Amino acid sequence: LIYYLGVIDILTPYNMFKRTEHFVKAIVHDGSQISAINPRKYGLRFLRFMIQSLDGYEDVMPMLEEFERTTYDSICREHRLF
């Protein structure tokens, strides 16, 4: 088996243009599933996808969910959202 992995979004800045793109696309589609998303949320979504691609991922999911909660809480504190 040969696996190919390419990440091109790392070079794209998440600026006002991308925020506007996210806003407009989220009106029509599920905001968590579009490509123009906050980089930290994008990273967590990508990590979840990669883990779910593995056999036995059910054992890892509780740790990932805890990491997501912890990361989300720290992001909110960092930006004083609560």
Side-chain angles (χ1 to χ4, degrees):
L1 294 173
I2 298 175
Y3 292 97
Y4 293 95
L5 175 67
V7 180
I8 59 170
D9 292 333
I10 194 167
L11 300 176
T12 305
Y14 190 72
N15 54 20
M16 188 55 74
F17 177 76
K18 284 294 182 184
R19 290 172 199 245
T20 305
E21 179 184 353
H22 176 80
F23 177 77
V24 171
K25 287 183 176 181
I27 293 171
V28 178
H29 304 286
D30 178 11
S32 66
Q33 298 302 314
I34 58 178
S35 62
I37 192 170
N38 178 291
R40 293 180 186 193
K41 289 182 181 179
Y42 184 91
L44 289 172
R45 183 176 70 183
F46 181 76
L47 183 60
R48 177 180 284 276
F49 170 78
M50 293 302 290
I51 288 173
Q52 289 176 340
S53 300
L54 303 172
D55 289 334
Y57 75 90
E58 297 87 2
D59 299 335
V60 181
M61 289 310 289
M63 289 185 288
L64 176 62
E65 290 166 358
E66 177 62 26
F67 177 75
E68 286 176 334
R69 265 193 308 280
T70 305
T71 302
Y72 180 76
D73 289 347
S74 66
I75 290 169
C76 289
R77 278 193 299 278
E78 177 182 329
H79 295 285
R80 295 183 177 99
L81 298 176
F82 68 82

